[in-house]
Amino acid sequence: LHVLDRIVVRDCGRALRSMLRPRNERETGFSVLQAMIDAARGRPRPDLSRAFWADLEHIIGGLHGRAKLHAGDSLDVDSDLSGREVAQVRSDQLDWLGSAVDVRCTRYPDGLDAVALERRQARRDRILKALGGTRRDWNDWHWHLRHIARDAKELARIAPLTGDEIARVERAARVAMPFGVTPYYASLFDEDPDSGRDRAVRAQVLPPDDYLDALVSREQIGDYMREGDTSPIELITRRYAEIVILKPYNACPQICVYCQRNWEIQGPMAEGAMAGAAQIDAALRWLRDHPTIHDVLITGGDPMVLSDARLKALLDRVAAIPHVDRIRIGTRMPVTAPMRFTPKTAALLGSYRVPGRREVCVMTHVEHPYELTPDTVKAVDRLRRQGISVYNQLVYTFFVSRRFEAVALRRTLRRCGIDPYYTFNTKGKDETAAYRVPIARLVQEQKEEARLLSGLTRTDEAVFNVPGLGKNHLNAWQHRDIVSILPDGSRAYEFHPWEKKIAPQRTYITKDVPILGYLERLAAIGEDVSDYEGIWYYF
């Protein structure tokens, strides 16, 4: 075996040992060992799925050295070479690797491509005609907020939808799902959805059937992140020592299907979403009374729907708190209505930046390179010229998880002036099953794809959000243990709290999605699943 395949043997042995521990069997309520014994004795186990056996087979096979991922071409250099000779050989090998990355990235067009721009301009003109607007209206963010499509009929007027998509949006209205799409974002839809170019764009706002099923089968979508348990006062969420979230406005102009706060957001620009003056006063007094807090993330909802005057009134008060060293604005409007960031607004936000005293940042959420347009670039450039850093938080859903898809996003983000910040494993909420990706795939992406980029391009950290505790890093074994493979083929993980070795705190066990099911979904959209074969050996 190649020495690197020996490491796979070690990793498989470590994973299997963890699964066979009696304590982990008790914690998960399932015994992998008993399943193996029953299989060996010919006892029927109809509860065990193909996905269960597929995962176990790969782990056992890996343990026996059958995972030969490093056969064939090698980047090893002949030991007889040295100096300039060996450097040239190594450079040629890196050219080969780099070319492979470039070719893969060309599969994912961005919104800055000339052909994409032509499509979007034509779509913009048709939207303006349908809504009776002008080019001047298009550049006015208030116009976009006044013309949010809130149902299937309104969206079908301005975006090309399939019959199935119309039916799902109509069903969303019947089950009271928060729904809304801005005219600007509707212009990112392609006329030919079968091409798949805008698959991630559509998935952002058009709910899948299983999401709607979950809404029907449950009285209410739950507070998955246990914000109720981490809110010491209304409008404040606190999971970390020096950082808090302040939520003055609890709605957005456009609703992401997998929104973390879908349990409390009523709809786009919902009436009553703005917190009352007394609530804001109390939250700011609380902030002032807690000098260990140095970083305030103002989010919601989307605070950038507020007028400049309201923003100024709020930011003046936050900036007046002596111990606040950083103000962050969490907003998706660079993607859903980038014209919101006028020169005047950018100057307002920049006015709170005091070099050496206070930093101002904008945290946004670009999900796919096809969402990046010249309008977004203009908005980001205005912010950066004010000394405001712009960071991206990617949610690693099925619709952005193909080989080198996130790499293409990172490259485009950097060209637009946005720094990759976090890549979130999709939260394990029941209703978001269609969006979820195995943890193994995200770890694989970080190692096999992102690692090929410049350090300045792969500045994002892959994380899993533990309810009630917050972000847990996915870059090392020290942060989690695989504790079982459950009958449906999903892996169970035990996440260690970020406070480990600092303060006592409970661990958290979560159920992942089956790797086999994920690969079958990739195959259904035309992916060669053999290209993902290493996924089984990331734990």
Side-chain angles (χ1 to χ4, degrees):
L1 287 178
H2 191 285
V3 64
L4 298 180
D5 288 326
R6 291 179 182 272
I7 295 172
V8 174
V9 174
R10 180 206 66 185
D11 291 346
C12 289
R14 180 175 178 175
L16 187 61
R17 279 197 303 272
S18 180
M19 294 176 196
L20 301 184
R21 292 190 182 111
R23 184 253 182 193
N24 290 344
E25 291 184 343
R26 290 193 301 271
E27 290 291 326
T28 60
F30 179 72
S31 172
V32 172
L33 178 59
Q34 188 61 55
M36 295 167 68
I37 291 170
D38 289 345
R41 292 179 175 173
R43 294 171 181 162
R45 287 292 301 268
D47 60 316
L48 302 177
S49 66
R50 288 175 57 249
F52 170 84
W53 291 116
D55 206 341
L56 190 60
E57 178 185 3
H58 279 90
I59 291 173
I60 298 296
L63 187 62
H64 284 270
R66 293 202 292 269
K68 297 180 179 177
L69 303 176
H70 302 92
D73 293 337
S74 172
L75 293 181
D76 288 342
V77 176
D78 191 327
S79 59
D80 292 336
L81 299 178
S82 62
R84 188 61 55 83
E85 266 189 315
V86 72
Q88 186 59 57
V89 171
R90 178 61 174 161
S91 179
D92 290 344
Q93 293 170 340
L94 294 173
D95 279 342
W96 170 77
L97 267 180
S99 296
V101 175
D102 290 344
V103 169
R104 298 298 192 96
C105 286
T106 60
R107 297 180 61 198
Y108 311 112
D110 57 54
L112 304 170
D113 174 79
V115 178
L117 291 176
E118 188 176 338
R119 291 191 199 103
R120 270 75 184 275
Q121 288 166 359
R123 168 60 43 198
R124 175 201 62 197
D125 292 344
R126 285 192 283 274
I127 292 172
L128 288 172
K129 183 177 181 180
L131 298 179
T134 66
R135 292 283 182 92
R136 184 174 181 178
D137 289 329
W138 189 261
N139 294 320
D140 179 2
W141 65 280
H142 300 92
W143 183 88
H144 287 270
L145 267 56
R146 288 195 300 269
H147 291 86
I148 295 167
R150 301 168 186 269
D151 58 37
K153 183 178 179 181
E154 290 180 356
L155 185 58
R157 285 182 66 199
I158 60 175
L161 301 180
T162 67
D164 175 65
E165 288 170 339
I166 291 173
R168 284 187 276 123
V169 176
E170 288 174 341
R171 188 179 173 209
R174 292 196 297 274
V175 298
M177 172 193 158
F179 179 82
V181 181
T182 64
Y184 170 82
Y185 200 78
S187 74
L188 307 187
F189 283 41
D190 281 348
E191 299 289 344
D192 51 343
D194 289 341
S195 71
R197 289 185 302 265
D198 64 349
R199 182 183 288 113
V201 171
R202 291 170 182 268
Q204 282 288 294
V205 291
L206 303 178
D209 282 321
D210 60 356
Y211 185 97
L212 298 170
D213 292 342
L215 288 180
V216 171
S217 63
R218 293 165 60 183
E219 292 183 3
Q220 169 183 342
I221 295 297
D223 175 11
Y224 177 80
M225 282 302 295
R226 290 172 49 195
E227 292 201 39
D229 295 344
T230 52
S231 296
I233 189 171
E234 287 294 317
L235 310 185
I236 295 285
T237 299
R238 187 181 191 185
R239 302 189 188 103
Y240 312 103
E242 74 166 22
I243 309 164
V244 297
I245 295 171
L246 173 63
K247 299 180 287 185
Y249 185 82
N250 199 29
C252 297
Q254 177 169 302
I255 310 298
C256 300
V257 175
Y258 50 77
C259 176
Q260 173 176 309
R261 299 195 173 99
N262 62 350
W263 60 282
E264 61 178 355
I265 289 179
Q266 300 301 310
M269 309 299 293
E271 187 176 346
M274 185 67 197
Q279 284 183 310
I280 292 175
D281 289 346
L284 293 175
R285 282 196 303 271
W286 185 92
L287 276 175
R288 186 176 285 274
D289 291 342
H290 289 78
T292 58
I293 294 167
H294 302 286
D295 188 325
V296 178
L297 169 59
I298 303 172
T299 181
D302 196 321
M304 289 308 300
V305 304
L306 303 180
S307 66
D308 284 0
R310 278 193 161 182
L311 273 175
K312 183 178 187 306
L314 178 64
L315 292 171
D316 281 351
R317 298 179 69 185
V318 174
I321 299 173
H323 50 85
V324 173
D325 302 329
R326 181 180 301 110
I327 299 173
R328 291 192 269 176
I329 310 291
T331 175
R332 197 154 195 260
M333 289 185 79
V335 179
T336 62
M339 55 286 298
R340 171 65 186 95
F341 294 89
T342 65
K344 180 182 176 183
T345 301
L348 170 66
L349 297 178
S351 69
Y352 297 98
R353 176 178 172 266
V354 181
R357 166 65 187 90
R358 188 188 309 112
E359 181 183 11
V360 178
C361 309
V362 166
M363 323 302 294
T364 193
H365 170 199
V366 182
E367 186 69 0
H368 196 273
Y370 212 48
E371 291 180 318
L372 289 163
T373 69
D375 296 295
T376 299
V377 173
K378 184 185 295 184
V380 171
D381 187 58
R382 285 173 176 167
L383 292 167
R384 290 187 55 106
R385 287 178 186 274
Q386 294 292 328
I388 298 171
S389 299
V390 183
Y391 295 98
N392 192 60
Q393 300 187 136
L394 168 66
V395 182
Y396 197 70
T397 73
F398 173 80
F399 304 98
V400 296
S401 69
R402 291 174 293 174
R403 278 292 204 180
F404 291 92
E405 202 160 11
V407 165
L409 173 63
R410 293 185 189 95
R411 282 181 162 183
T412 314
L413 285 170
R414 288 292 302 182
R415 293 201 305 271
C416 296
I418 304 173
D419 294 325
Y421 178 50
Y422 277 126
T423 294
F424 287 95
N425 178 261
T426 313
K427 293 179 178 64
K429 302 191 292 183
D430 293 341
E431 67 270 21
T432 58
Y435 293 83
R436 294 183 64 192
V437 175
I439 288 169
R441 172 64 189 122
L442 180 48
V443 180
Q444 179 186 39
E445 194 279 336
Q446 292 279 296
K447 175 65 176 175
E448 298 180 15
E449 295 153 52
R451 189 60 184 83
L452 294 172
L453 297 174
S454 158
L456 290 176
T457 309
R458 53 179 169 85
T459 50
D460 54 313
E461 183 71 50
V463 292
F464 176 92
N465 247 327
V466 176
L469 293 179
K471 300 174 190 67
N472 187 296
H473 294 266
L474 288 171
N475 58 1
W477 280 83
Q478 285 90 340
H479 302 305
R480 71 191 176 282
D481 294 302
I482 181 171
V483 293
S484 190
I485 304 173
L486 301 178
D488 67 351
S490 58
R491 292 177 176 181
Y493 288 92
E494 181 174 28
F495 279 92
H496 311 165
W498 62 263
E499 298 100 323
K500 187 172 74 170
K501 299 187 177 77
I502 301 173
Q505 184 59 265
R506 292 180 179 178
T507 60
Y508 176 77
I509 293 181
T510 188
K511 176 182 175 181
D512 203 10
V513 290
I515 291 176
L516 181 64
Y518 169 71
L519 294 178
E520 288 174 342
R521 290 187 69 194
L522 286 177
I525 62 170
E527 286 293 290
D528 179 359
V529 295
S530 67
D531 203 22
Y532 299 77
E533 62 178 337
I535 189 174
W536 301 98
Y537 308 107
Y538 287 94
F539 305 106

